[in-house]
Amino acid sequence: MPSPNDRDAIKITAEDLAAVAIPEPAVSAQSAPSSGARVYGTINETAEQFVSVPAEHASIFLQGWFYLGLAGLLGAIAGWAIVEPGFADGVSGSSHSHWGNIIIIPLIITLMCIGFGISESIVERSFRKALLRGALALPLGILLGFMFDMMAETIYAMGIRLSFEAGAQTMRNPALWVVRGLAWTVFGAAGGVVYGIVGQSMKKGTYGVLGGALGAGLGGVIFNPIALATHGGAVSRAVGFALVGLATGVGMGLVESALKDRWLYVVAGPLAGKQFILYKTETNIGSRQESDIYLFKDPQILPRHAVINISGARVMLHATGLVLWAGQTVHNRVLQHGDLLKIGRYAFRYKEKHRS
């Protein structure tokens, strides 16, 4: 006999299930970031950059290896041109009768250091900063020029003696080319030291020393073959020192670019193609020429428009002026690899090493 509960059972048909509507969850006002609200990056964000920014042509003049190489080339040529009238072939550098033999290397190092110190500021149109860096690079270059010249002479003399004892008797022996290259690595190291000091970054200086030493060493190795091919004299010195300066600057730029870990790449604007490597714990962005990232020709840019702070693995943007991310205004944001930031007429792509 069926129980009363069985007789009162509720029956649900397929039509009843189809008629059920599930309400959409309400979005609270707090969950949607409003314009000007603080926005912090998270690894789950998918809004990213669907805002179209037309990419502009990247000028070769804004590549570090190019402008540093050009600075080294011009510095070396200028030093040679000044000293060559007082230089005598076959005379030891310690001779007091020929001033050119005494100061040729220190002067070339000094002018290369000045070039490395001011070249980046010049391509960024920050001429006031270039003057300040040049004023600092001049005494540093003179001091390091004479100091590193003595170090190079010592290394070269020891290497020559060891090579002669091993059987290398003429300058046509490649072993002597290598000796000169090893001795001249200190010239590039001097340029790297100045590059780091004027840039106020130990890491920048370390990269500069490594790249400069590699470049100058390569230039030193090919110096003797150039002298043999041109039969010595002024022409061989001009070509040889020019290539040493060029190789030193190119080496610094390539090593710096290869070892960078965090940087802003300019996608659009007057500096399109330039990369600003984030060395310092605090990087200032603004319209002041002394800013770490100087943004010119834009009245929308404030003197201190934004600051990027680095604390461990966290890279934080603090904006006092208008900064757009994914089309919305941000005041504070933890930057993530691939973030696209718009500041006035400039657009930057934030990048990190070892990220796809």
Side-chain angles (χ1 to χ4, degrees), residues 238-255:
V239 175
F241 286 128
L243 290 178
V244 169
L246 176 65
T248 301
V250 170
M252 290 170 61
L254 291 178
V255 169

Side-chain angles (χ1 to χ4, degrees), residues 58-72:
S59 172
I60 190 174
F61 299 104
L62 297 176
Q63 307 304 309
W65 64 266
F66 181 87
Y67 59 73
L68 288 173
L70 182 61

Side-chain angles (χ1 to χ4, degrees), residues 230-264:
T230 56
H231 306 291
V235 174
S236 68
R237 285 189 290 275
V239 175
F241 286 128
L243 290 178
V244 169
L246 176 65
T248 301
V250 170
M252 290 170 61
L254 291 178
V255 169
E256 182 180 35
S257 182
L259 298 182
K260 65 184 183 296
D261 52 2
R262 302 183 183 99
W263 67 99
L264 288 176

Side-chain angles (χ1 to χ4, degrees), residues 69-84:
L70 182 61
L73 172 66
L74 295 177
I77 287 292
W80 165 83
I82 293 171
V83 173
E84 185 61 34

